[in-house]
Amino acid sequence: MPVTNDIMRTWRRPRAVMRELLDQGRREDRAIMYLMVSCFLIFVAQWPRLRRVAEGFEPSPFPPDMNFEGMMTYTFFGSVIILPLMMYGIAALSHLVAKVLGGKGSWFGARLALFWTMLATTPMFLFYGLVRGLIGHGTQAVLVGAIGAIAFVFIWIQSLREAESHS
């Protein structure tokens, strides 16, 4: 089944999709592909906001003399180089917490749950980036961001529960 169909199904039944992914066997290549594609799409989602910052419509978190290309470089480094490393650490921590709470899954299952959740929620990251780029920071952006964060946490918890119950 195409990944896009699985992403749409994840929003309705995250545990069922995670069960199917786990049943496909331990495939580290697939897990890291989910992670890297989602990190790249998170980077792409930030382009509209960075353009607003570069044009002076929003306050800049970057040094005042930095141009758009410099902002893109720093954002790329953070999103595509640093974020994946952080996600490995967060996945390991989530597995340890699940073990303490009685989980019987594997390290791979915890990684897959987090990495798949990141990929499954990239449509919300992209929508949030679009809202930040077109409207800027405001009530709409906060609302979209909050909905996205709640969806991420819900899908991740459900996926992790399935991964930790899968032996």
Side-chain angles (χ1 to χ4, degrees), residues 50-119:
L50 290 176
R51 178 47 71 185
R52 283 184 68 87
V53 169
E55 297 295 325
F57 294 116
E58 286 192 24
S60 176
F62 301 100
D65 59 339
M66 185 174 287
N67 61 10
F68 179 68
E69 289 78 16
M71 292 178 197
M72 292 285 284
T73 302
Y74 276 99
T75 304
F76 178 83
F77 182 76
S79 301
V80 180
I81 306 298
I82 302 299
L83 185 59
L85 298 173
M86 289 175 46
M87 291 300 107
Y88 269 93
I90 291 170
L93 232 106
S94 70
H95 178 64
L96 292 174
V97 169
K99 280 286 189 198
V100 168
L101 297 175
K104 58 180 180 178
S106 65
W107 295 97
F108 171 75
R111 283 193 304 275
L112 184 63
L114 179 59
F115 299 170
W116 175 253
T117 300
M118 287 182 65
L119 185 62

Side-chain angles (χ1 to χ4, degrees), residues 146-161:
I147 292 169
I150 290 167
F152 181 91
V153 169
F154 175 78
I155 292 171
W156 183 29
I157 288 172
Q158 294 302 312
S159 297
L160 188 60
R161 284 180 62 203

